[in-house]
Amino acid sequence: MEFCTNVDSIPWGPHPVAEGVEIKPLVTKKDHGLDVTCVLVKVPAGIEVPEHIHETQADILYPLQGRAEMFVEGAGNLVLKPGVVVRVPMGVKHRIFNVTEELLLYDVFQPATV
């Protein structure tokens, strides 16, 4: 079992629903046996993550860099920028838009997605 991974050794891959967005899996149930999924998400300026729902996971987002807006059903529009944490309960619609500076998110799903 690995206890430490160099993030630079993990390749970026395409986001499953947002064209032009990339993800880097840091912790997965498949690879690490934990009931949590942690990923980095890179959203270039001008790109959006369309409205979607995670039916069985809570989604916790922590921006490491960049600036954008995020709509969360029941909360309205929120600013995504470093120092802000957004928690989206399972089953709640949300989307990311108005990305004015490339956004790098630390994104946690619980329970694990994969």
Side-chain angles (χ1 to χ4, degrees):
M1 171 188 299
E2 289 185 42
F3 291 98
C4 182
T5 303
N6 183 332
V7 173
D8 292 335
S9 70
I10 302 169
W12 288 97
H15 189 281
V17 298
E19 190 172 330
V21 175
E22 294 181 290
I23 60 171
K24 182 181 281 210
L26 304 177
V27 176
T28 64
K29 185 173 187 175
K30 180 183 86 168
D31 293 335
H32 303 96
L34 300 173
D35 199 19
V36 63
T37 300
C38 302
V39 298
L40 290 178
V41 180
K42 189 178 356 178
V43 185
I47 300 291
E48 296 187 0
V49 176
E51 184 173 277
H52 61 285
I53 295 173
H54 302 284
E55 292 289 348
T56 58
Q57 291 91 20
D59 185 1
I60 302 163
L61 302 96
Y62 180 69
L64 300 172
Q65 70 181 42
R67 189 172 180 94
E69 291 183 70
M70 182 173 188
F71 169 77
V72 178
E73 184 178 44
N77 292 344
L78 309 169
V79 174
L80 287 178
K81 63 181 183 177
V84 171
V85 175
V86 177
R87 183 185 65 83
V88 181
M90 65 178 70
V92 173
K93 292 179 192 175
H94 57 288
R95 72 183 184 103
I96 295 173
F97 64 100
N98 194 23
V99 181
T100 57
E101 298 172 20
E102 182 174 80
L103 194 60
L104 181 62
L105 298 168
Y106 180 72
D107 202 353
V108 177
F109 298 93
Q110 201 283 322
T113 59
V114 211

